[in-house]
Amino acid sequence: MPGPVQAIERAAAILRLLARGSGRLGVGEIAASLDLAKGTAHGILRTLQGVGFVEQDAATGKYQLGAALLHLGTSYLDVNELRSRAINWADALAARSGEAVRIGTPLEGNVMVVHHVFRPDDTLQTLDVGTLLPLHATALGKVLLAYDADLAAETQRSDLPSLTRRTVVNAAALTRALAQVREQGWAGEAEEFMPGEAGIAAPIRSYGGLVVGAIGITGPADRLCDGGLRPRADLVTHVSNAARAVSRDLGASR
Amino acid sequence: MTQRYVMSIDQGTTSTRCILFDQRARLVSVAQREQQQYFPQPGWVEQDAVEIWRNVDRIVPRALADAGISPDQVMALGIANQRETTVVWDRRTGTPVGRAIVWQDVRTEELVREFEGKPDAETVRDRCGLPLATYFAAPRLRWLLDNLPGLRDRAERGDVLFGTMETWLIWNLTGGVDGGEHVTDVTNASRTLLMNLATLAWDDELLSFFDIPKRMLPEIKPSTADFGRTKRVVPGLRIAAALGDQHAALFGQTCFARGETKCTYGTGSFLLMNTGRELVRSTHGLLTTIGYQLGGEPAVYALEGPIAVTGSLVQWIRDSLGLIGSAPEIETLARTVDDNGGCYIVPAFSGLFAPHWHSEARGIIVGLTSYITKGHLARAVLEATGWQTREVVDAMNADSGLTASTLRVDGGMTANHLLMQFIADVLDVPVMRPIVAETVSLGAAYAAGLGVGFWPDLEGLRRNWHLAARWLPQLEASRRDAEYANWQRAVELTFGWAQPRRPV
Ligand SMILES: Nc1ncnc2c1ncn2[C@@H]1O[C@H](COP(=O)(O)OP(=O)(O)O)[C@@H](O)[C@H]1O
Ligand SMILES: [Mg+2]
């Protein structure tokens, strides 16, 4: 077993320091209290600031605990902000793939659609932002399950409703499917939600690799998949690239 | 074959973006930086032109690097910009004489009132299509000449240059103190109060009316033209188009035919209708402006309903009141309640623009009771954008004799579903967003790409327009009418605030 990571211990010490007393300290005071070089303390503070755990007062330059710490339990990225930050890349994905694009986040055991771009063929389509989709039967949902062990366990504890004859209804089969999603970095779904329809999705990550949502395309299975109902490689690339572009904007490292 | 691209720079009021588009008008990369806003006194709004230039210096190479594209793959650069924001700088040092005065700034209110009192004030609108208002560049330039010691002398000697943001950026990009091009385009020039709308040239009568030395003004070109090659940032790019952001959005929405209309929702919001070769004068509080001018062709005119404060009200809630951490969170906050609870916000922070033109109006929040929560305030913030849209759409319908049957929208606020639904509800028409929300950038790219033959014609561009989202009206008419009446009463309360009312 590797030993403790020093930088994380120091970060924890800085947070404890800021949590007591006045709660507002300059970088020099923090460095002196913890017997750290000022540069080291500054680097850690900047990183903590980047993830929202500390905030710097613009006027005094002093640091304090960040608002994000108070909301650690709740979803830290507002869904409306996710939409705003992703809109350019979602548009570009729809233009490249020729298919409808959706972004989803988990909500009460479902996927909630937080963004929807129409298939760019000017046919009649209806916005379904706010709609709930099943986690186990959609590509968006499988991505969300693959990177959230609690959500996956909870979903598998209840019955997996069968929506088509291809829906994965067996917990063990779903576990295998999710392992594959993690391995390949994207999820596919062919006629598991609706006959004749398919989907491809990939994770949207924030700093540290935290998955905050999924972005994907849906469309007729004969356009999205090859003969063996396997997602087409070029479309998988478009989806993965879009997911990566949004993630980069949200602070995920490459 | 190596891929080729067009680059756009959108120097907006809130941020500057550099975007690369491929031949099918798909976004390939985007780099963006917000600039600082300064509010040094009530009603004053400033930005630092040097900071904006530095942001351009950072984002252009980053957009190329992110896409893995080399400069020789970029066929042309198009520039779109926040309009009317005024910069004056020293042509020998390249240093601005002070901060840029932003289009929302109302420091020139007194000055504008003086201009209104001049005997020939009536002719201004005939010549340039604009009402006398704090919104436009000429009073700001005059304010600088009057208030910065020695500036008028320097201007008359030819030592300082005036420009809006595109002029400042092009001058810097094409060499700055080493032979930078001092140029603007007809759309930007049409927002100064100094250009004659019929001749598309600086108007000597207007220059003498505002007492502005002609030497400091840039050369006016069509929107697509040879604006020179970049010598700095990324050398060798061909600047083939420049146009005001709202004109670029009209172009990016492919509103090429008479009657075609769009509304862009950013810091402020701007409804523009293409009126073709015809210079239409509004009788309902709209502006006459240049839509765009392709090199070698006659100008295309437009009617415009500008709204000063929409997205910037959201920013105010974020930055000055601290009720939200980011602009999109206004939607989350607004959804914590079902309606406005009787509360209305009229954000007359810069007076009211179209269709009212009350420079002396100031913002209000009315209908406060103990019942009101921050959720209701957030609703009122979004609704203010909806009702202000309704006012300019009503004016446009009245002027054109047509009734708009849909509204094409774009800009940063179109990510807000609650707002887009509300706009559909208050206009009672479907609201449609195209597949590139960054329509300003797309329009600048289109103009530049057309200029260099990267795209052959307007018809080809039209085929790139696809519907990305559509919101259908759902509100009952009685509710809409009652709410509109409340809004109109609230608007009336803002009038006359900044000046003492005359005793009755
Ligand atoms: N989701 C949103 N809801 C409401 N307002 C928003 C949202 N996203 C951005 N804005 C507002 O839109 C403006 C930025 O849009 P943008 O089109 O970039 O403006 P500009 O071109 O004027 O700089 C800001 O004023 C911001 O407050
Ligand atoms: Mg803009």
Side-chain angles (χ1 to χ4, degrees):
Chain A
M1 254 251 315
V5 179
Q6 194 181 39
I8 295 178
E9 284 186 346
R10 287 172 170 170
I14 289 179
L15 293 177
R16 281 191 197 281
L17 199 61
L18 289 173
R20 53 188 206 219
S22 76
R24 284 163 211 274
L25 296 171
V27 58
E29 293 162 321
I30 291 169
S33 301
L34 299 177
D35 199 17
L36 291 175
K38 209 164 151 185
T40 309
H42 189 238
I44 296 171
L45 281 162
R46 287 286 295 273
T47 308
L48 287 171
Q49 197 182 355
V51 303
F53 284 9
V54 309
E55 287 166 6
Q56 190 179 22
D57 186 89
T60 63
K62 293 201 177 207
Y63 292 89
Q64 65 195 70
L65 292 183
L69 274 181
L70 302 174
H71 310 291
L72 265 185
T74 55
S75 154
Y76 93 96
L77 186 68
D78 180 271
V79 294
N80 293 308
E81 184 167 5
L82 176 59
R83 182 188 320 112
S84 265
R85 305 274 292 263
I87 194 167
N88 285 331
W89 296 113
D91 280 351
L93 175 57
R96 288 216 159 72
S97 65
E99 304 295 345
V101 172
R102 284 179 185 74
I103 293 178
T105 57
L107 182 75
E108 292 161 1
N110 293 288
V111 182
M112 182 176 62
V113 177
V114 301
H115 185 45
H116 175 192
V117 184
F118 290 169
R119 186 174 59 250
D121 60 5
D122 302 319
T123 58
L124 195 66
Q125 295 164 68
T126 308
L127 272 183
D128 61 9
V129 171
T131 302
L132 299 179
L133 302 172
L135 283 163
H136 69 293
T138 57
L140 291 173
K142 287 194 215 172
V143 167
L144 299 175
L145 289 173
Y147 300 98
D148 186 334
D150 272 350
L151 192 63
E154 211 177 294
T155 306
Q156 281 160 325
R157 261 198 302 277
S158 46
D159 271 348
L160 300 173
S162 165
L163 302 166
T164 69
R165 59 188 187 82
R166 290 186 191 278
T167 312
V168 181
V169 291
N170 172 290
L174 185 60
T175 302
R176 280 196 303 279
L178 299 183
Q180 196 192 346
V181 170
R182 282 188 297 271
E183 196 172 306
Q184 62 194 16
W186 53 271
E189 166 266 308
E191 304 197 317
E192 294 161 49
F193 180 42
M194 282 200 292
E197 294 282 309
I200 304 170
I204 298 175
R205 294 175 186 276
S206 175
Y207 65 83
L210 209 57
V211 173
V212 293
I215 182 170
I217 58 175
T218 53
D222 54 12
R223 276 210 306 259
L224 262 66
C225 303
D226 63 18
L229 279 185
R230 271 195 323 269
R232 269 170 44 192
D234 57 334
L235 292 175
V236 168
T237 306
H238 287 322
V239 171
S240 302
N241 286 346
R244 213 166 300 126
V246 177
S247 302
R248 199 169 57 201
D249 282 354
L250 292 176
S253 51
R254 294 158 203 234
Chain B
M1 204 185 83
T2 52
Q3 289 293 328
R4 297 181 188 287
Y5 303 89
V6 173
M7 178 186 280
S8 68
I9 296 174
D10 170 10
Q11 202 301 292
T13 312
T14 304
S15 72
T16 310
R17 277 166 273 235
C18 178
I19 299 186
L20 284 157
F21 292 97
D22 67 14
Q23 191 137 20
R24 294 175 64 184
R26 298 176 304 200
L27 179 145
V28 176
S29 76
V30 48
Q32 175 169 6
R33 280 186 84 86
E34 271 200 27
Q35 68 260 12
Q36 178 102 30
Q37 314 265 353
Y38 300 90
F39 307 105
Q41 293 189 34
W44 290 32
V45 186
E46 300 179 345
Q47 291 178 7
D48 179 358
V50 175
E51 179 195 356
I52 288 171
W53 164 243
R54 261 194 238 117
N55 287 347
V56 167
D57 190 28
R58 286 195 201 173
I59 62 178
V60 172
R62 203 166 77 213
L64 286 169
D66 279 356
I69 287 169
S70 72
D72 57 355
Q73 288 174 274
V74 178
M75 303 306 290
L77 166 61
I79 298 178
N81 59 288
Q82 54 171 318
R83 309 166 301 169
E84 303 102 10
T85 295
T86 301
V87 198
V88 174
W89 67 97
D90 188 307
R91 72 177 335 143
R92 294 203 177 77
T93 63
T95 310
V97 300
R99 289 213 192 107
I101 307 180
V102 176
W103 58 271
Q104 291 176 321
D105 187 294
V106 293
R107 78 183 64 184
T108 57
E109 207 194 318
E110 281 296 320
L111 193 57
V112 166
R113 222 171 291 144
E114 281 169 35
F115 286 134
E116 278 168 351
K118 291 179 64 160
D120 40 355
E122 280 307 305
T123 66
V124 171
R125 197 186 181 122
D126 293 338
R127 288 174 182 276
C128 68
L130 310 174
L132 274 168
T134 56
Y135 176 26
F136 307 106
R140 265 178 214 123
L141 180 49
R142 171 62 186 274
W143 186 93
L144 287 168
L145 291 167
D146 289 354
N147 286 276
L148 297 194
L151 189 63
R152 181 169 285 280
D153 285 346
R154 290 165 73 195
E156 264 150 17
R157 281 200 307 268
D159 290 346
V160 290
L161 303 175
F162 154 82
T164 39
M165 279 301 162
E166 82 296 354
T167 302
W168 164 249
L169 292 181
I170 294 172
W171 186 80
N172 276 291
L173 284 166
T174 56
V177 292
D178 298 322
E181 302 279 345
H182 188 222
V183 288
T184 184
D185 92 300
V186 284
T187 66
N188 276 296
S190 79
R191 317 295 297 190
T192 55
L193 285 163
L194 300 173
M195 189 187 82
N196 187 305
L197 259 195
T199 65
L200 308 182
W202 300 122
D203 183 301
D204 289 329
E205 304 285 323
L206 290 171
L207 288 173
S208 82
F209 180 89
F210 291 104
D211 196 11
I212 305 267
K214 198 171 186 171
R215 285 189 84 171
M216 66 191 309
L217 302 184
E219 178 195 345
I220 303 175
K221 298 198 167 205
S223 315
T224 63
D226 177 9
F227 288 91
R229 278 194 187 262
T230 58
K231 292 200 185 117
R232 302 162 74 189
V233 181
V234 172
L237 301 177
R238 189 164 160 194
I239 309 175
L243 57 181
D245 53 6
Q246 300 312 317
H247 314 262
L250 187 72
F251 206 71
Q253 286 266 19
T254 66
C255 295
F256 303 139
R258 258 178 92 115
E260 290 186 317
T261 305
K262 68 87 202 179
C263 193
T264 301
Y265 291 91
T267 313
S269 294
F270 302 85
L271 180 76
L272 271 80
M273 176 190 278
N274 183 324
T275 61
R277 302 270 140 89
E278 193 190 348
L279 200 163
V280 178
R281 305 215 178 247
S282 173
T283 48
H284 296 87
L286 304 178
L287 311 176
T288 308
T289 195
I290 307 289
Y292 52 88
Q293 186 191 16
L294 303 179
E297 292 181 23
V300 170
Y301 290 93
L303 270 176
E304 172 178 330
I307 305 166
V309 174
T310 55
S312 57
L313 181 61
V314 177
Q315 278 174 295
W316 179 74
I317 293 284
R318 181 192 69 185
D319 300 337
S320 300
L321 299 193
L323 291 182
I324 47 176
S326 71
E329 283 173 34
I330 194 80
E331 183 171 354
T332 313
L333 185 55
R335 284 187 192 276
T336 60
V337 294
D338 292 328
D339 57 32
N340 62 21
C343 176
Y344 300 82
I345 303 181
V346 185
F349 294 7
S350 303
L352 286 172
F353 289 8
H356 307 289
W357 299 108
H358 275 270
S359 293
E360 84 305 334
R362 287 297 177 272
I364 52 159
I365 304 178
V366 286
L368 293 178
T369 60
S370 306
Y371 176 77
I372 299 300
T373 64
K374 55 188 178 177
H376 297 108
L377 288 178
R379 283 252 164 193
V381 163
L382 296 178
E383 293 186 1
T385 297
W387 292 121
Q388 291 186 101
T389 304
R390 168 74 187 263
E391 291 175 333
V392 291
V393 167
D394 282 357
M396 195 68 88
N397 287 343
D399 264 341
S400 66
L402 308 166
T403 305
S405 57
T406 58
L407 183 71
R408 288 183 180 196
V409 299
D410 57 81
M413 289 183 100
T414 57
N416 191 312
H417 279 254
L418 192 59
L419 173 63
M420 292 300 115
Q421 182 60 51
F422 188 71
I423 292 171
D425 285 343
V426 303
L427 297 181
D428 201 23
V429 301
V431 167
M432 316 215 290
R433 178 179 86 78
I435 198 158
V436 178
E438 298 282 357
T439 307
V440 171
S441 297
L442 184 63
Y446 275 170
L450 270 179
V452 300
F454 184 63
W455 286 300
D457 54 22
L458 299 179
E459 273 319 301
L461 299 180
R462 235 182 228 293
R463 284 193 292 274
N464 294 333
W465 195 100
H466 294 296
L467 187 65
R470 189 181 48 158
W471 292 267
L472 301 172
Q474 290 171 352
L475 194 68
E476 321 105 65
S478 59
R479 182 76 194 289
R480 178 169 56 241
D481 294 346
E483 286 292 308
Y484 194 23
N486 286 343
W487 166 262
Q488 288 169 316
R489 282 195 300 142
V491 167
E492 275 169 30
L493 296 173
T494 70
F495 295 163
W497 184 258
Q499 66 191 22
R501 280 174 193 275
R502 288 202 192 87
V504 235

